[in-house]
Amino acid sequence: MDLFDAELGGRDEPEAGEGGGGCSWVTAVIIGIFVMLAVLIHTFFGWARDLLSAVFS
């Protein structure tokens, strides 16, 4: 991931070429959101399992 891609306005040098071969910031943010969502779902179902096991045991 090129953090200083001239196309995104990260550098002001006109000779800076396009960053290539990496993922964009949007891709990194979307992957981060999906990871956080997966962790939250896993935590929620863990709490639900603990609650149900306490109620029915």
Side-chain angles (χ1 to χ4, degrees), residues 11-36:
R11 292 186 289 191
D12 294 327
E13 297 96 12
E15 66 273 2
E18 290 183 13
C23 62
S24 68
W25 278 104
V26 176
T27 306
V29 168
I30 289 173
I31 291 172
I33 289 172
F34 279 128
V35 168
M36 289 177 64

Side-chain angles (χ1 to χ4, degrees), residues 2-51:
D2 188 2
L3 300 178
F4 301 103
D5 191 5
E7 189 175 82
L8 296 176
R11 292 186 289 191
D12 294 327
E13 297 96 12
E15 66 273 2
E18 290 183 13
C23 62
S24 68
W25 278 104
V26 176
T27 306
V29 168
I30 289 173
I31 291 172
I33 289 172
F34 279 128
V35 168
M36 289 177 64
L37 186 62
V39 169
L40 287 174
I41 289 171
H42 178 74
T43 303
F44 172 75
F45 281 115
W47 287 340
R49 184 195 65 220
D50 292 343
L51 179 65

